[in-house]
Amino acid sequence: MEMDQLYTELILEHNQDKRNKHALNEFTVSEHGHNPSCGDDLTLQVKIEDGMIKDAAYTGSGCAISQASASMMIDIIKGKSVEEALRLVELFLGMIKKDVTDDEKLEELEDAIALKNISNMPARVKCAVLAWHTLKEALIK
């Protein structure tokens, strides 16, 4: 199986998997993100206790890339400190901008590394980064 095919399957899998797509009963921060260019819309809820992300989930609608990216991001940040989550946001954004190209460093992004080549599709970049920018806004408030 070629890497592009594997990455496409990961995106489809995360888009269809609803384990991270629901409202949280308890959360400490909530942030709304919207991509007017294609209509992606999500609300991210995060439960933070003692500086640690205990839970996170999102609701909303959008293309497969935006939904998969949100799901992948949530898988990565659960159990991390707020500072670590913010560092991972910067790592992801650096990957998309092609500022970070070291695959060893990018392994920290787990499944989200599947979105690495989105940078070659400028119209889809905003879809991939929506959840990550929304998380950053939520955490720096």
Side-chain angles (χ1 to χ4, degrees):
M1 180 181 301
E2 291 190 29
M3 290 305 280
D4 286 345
Q5 185 180 353
L6 177 65
Y7 288 165
T8 300
E9 286 183 19
L10 270 173
I11 291 167
L12 292 174
E13 178 185 314
H14 274 276
N15 178 49
Q16 293 168 354
D17 187 345
K18 304 301 181 208
R19 72 179 177 272
N20 294 321
K21 188 173 183 177
H22 57 86
L24 292 180
N25 291 327
E26 294 182 37
F27 57 90
T28 49
V29 294
S30 178
E31 188 71 30
H32 179 253
H34 180 69
N35 177 1
S37 62
C38 72
D40 296 332
D41 190 85
L42 66 83
T43 298
L44 179 67
Q45 297 173 324
V46 184
K47 182 177 183 180
I48 301 169
E49 290 179 6
D50 300 322
M52 300 296 289
I53 297 174
K54 297 294 184 185
D55 202 1
Y58 76 101
T59 56
S61 61
C63 70
I65 291 172
S66 72
Q67 302 295 286
S69 185
S71 177
M72 292 171 178
M73 178 192 75
I74 288 169
D75 281 348
I76 296 167
I77 65 165
K78 282 184 185 177
K80 302 279 193 305
S81 68
V82 169
E83 293 77 19
E84 180 69 3
L86 287 168
R87 188 186 67 75
L88 290 167
V89 167
E90 294 307 319
L91 181 61
F92 180 83
L93 297 176
M95 174 185 75
I96 296 297
K97 293 178 197 169
K98 296 185 180 179
D99 292 341
V100 181
T101 57
D102 181 346
D103 284 340
E104 279 188 40
K105 285 183 183 176
L106 295 176
E107 283 179 14
E108 285 186 85
L109 294 174
E110 300 174 18
D111 285 355
I113 199 170
L115 298 167
K116 182 178 181 181
N117 291 328
I118 292 295
S119 56
N120 298 327
M121 298 177 271
R124 305 314 302 237
V125 167
K126 288 182 181 178
C127 306
V129 301
L130 177 63
W132 299 81
H133 281 301
T134 304
L135 175 64
K136 184 175 181 178
E137 287 300 312
L139 296 181
I140 61 173
K141 283 186 170 182

